[in-house]
Amino acid sequence: VARDSKVIALASSRYSSAMKTVAILTIAFLPGTFVAVRTTTSISSFEIRVDGEIIGPHFWVYWVFAIPLTGLVLGIWEVWIRLILRKHGKED
């Protein structure tokens, strides 16, 4: 019984780590995706110009919103995780 419990605990730990990785990747890419969808029509140009450029002149707007928003979401997630761990008496 003890051996089976140890195997289940190790599998659960690996699964938890994998889910944490998926959550971090989602949190990292979701804000940028949201900003891209909301601003794509105003900052991109799908016409091929003479100089070969297809990115519009206002592409910098994407980065101005995407980077701080991603940082904000990651920061909120980190604080939330720490509060949960502290509530349960675990520090990671």
Side-chain angles (χ1 to χ4, degrees), residues 7 20 22 32 55 91:
V7 169
K20 189 174 182 179
V22 169
I55 296 176
E91 247 339 288

Side-chain angles (χ1 to χ4, degrees), residues 14-34:
R14 276 187 247 127
Y15 180 75
S16 177
S17 295
M19 291 308 296
K20 189 174 182 179
T21 302
V22 169
I24 292 170
L25 286 172
T26 301
I27 289 170
F29 285 100
L30 195 58
T33 304
F34 174 77

Side-chain angles (χ1 to χ4, degrees), residues 12-62:
S12 177
S13 176
R14 276 187 247 127
Y15 180 75
S16 177
S17 295
M19 291 308 296
K20 189 174 182 179
T21 302
V22 169
I24 292 170
L25 286 172
T26 301
I27 289 170
F29 285 100
L30 195 58
T33 304
F34 174 77
V35 172
V37 168
R38 301 296 292 171
T39 61
T40 189
T41 56
S42 63
I43 64 173
S44 57
S45 169
F46 295 106
E47 299 172 7
I48 298 176
R49 293 195 222 162
V50 176
D51 59 4
E53 187 177 312
I54 39 178
I55 296 176
H58 301 293
F59 185 65
W60 60 271
V61 173
Y62 169 77

